[in-house]
Amino acid sequence: MLKGSLRTALLSLAMITALPSCSSIPILGAQIENPVTAARTLDQQAYAVLDTYAVLVEEATKIVADPNVPITIKRGLGAVEKVATPAAQVVESALAAYMRARADFEAASGQSQTTLARAADALSIAGQRLSQAIAAASPAIAELQTLVHGAH
């Protein structure tokens, strides 16, 4: 188990990813960029959101297992997790569809214009769905972040 400032630094790093408006945070003397806002591609953004969710759920699990944490905090974390988990699952599914569509588009690059156009349309739709899934998941993940941070 991590101790002291390293644990706090890693948790802080996880926390900033849940807040898209936060572009960076000083950790252990270094300015660390928010992976969600630093993402250059849609799939990078989705991976950053999913990784943030995973870290927050892991931390929430530790908080819930702590007998010294008040039951109201535990219930609050449980309620938010019930919203954040399905939202993260939608992001995960949309990411898989987007990656398939991108692979299909790349494979179609040497094909006819019709095949390429269809692949481009499918990629565009998958990208829109992934973007919508990320936007829909962000509030629940941010709320989870707030509760996890508040429990410390």
Side-chain angles (χ1 to χ4, degrees):
M1 176 171 260
L2 297 173
K3 299 285 183 184
S5 64
L6 180 58
R7 181 180 180 280
T8 302
L10 291 174
L11 183 57
S12 295
L13 179 61
M15 300 301 180
I16 67 167
T17 62
L19 301 172
S21 62
C22 183
S23 62
S24 66
I25 188 171
I27 297 176
L28 299 176
Q31 198 69 16
I32 305 297
E33 205 169 353
N34 179 332
V36 175
T37 58
R40 295 175 197 253
T41 63
L42 189 56
D43 57 311
Q44 289 174 349
Q45 186 179 12
Y47 285 121
V49 166
L50 291 171
D51 289 346
T52 298
Y53 163 78
V55 169
L56 291 171
V57 167
E58 182 178 331
E59 191 62 28
T61 301
K62 291 175 188 173
I63 292 167
V64 170
D66 184 345
N68 297 319
V69 173
I71 193 70
T72 55
I73 292 175
K74 292 178 182 185
R75 286 183 181 146
L77 284 167
V80 171
E81 184 274 333
K82 285 181 182 179
V83 174
T85 294
Q89 289 169 336
V90 170
V91 171
E92 193 172 39
S93 295
L95 176 59
Y98 175 80
M99 297 304 287
R100 280 190 306 274
R102 191 167 79 184
D104 290 348
F105 176 76
E106 290 169 2
S109 64
Q111 306 277 330
S112 70
Q113 284 294 350
T114 304
T115 302
L116 185 59
R118 273 188 289 219
D121 288 344
L123 179 58
S124 176
I125 291 167
Q128 289 171 356
R129 289 180 180 157
L130 179 55
S131 182
Q132 291 167 348
I134 290 169
S138 294
I141 293 172
E143 179 66 18
L144 183 59
Q145 180 271 330
T146 300
L147 290 176
V148 167
H149 185 40
H152 285 289

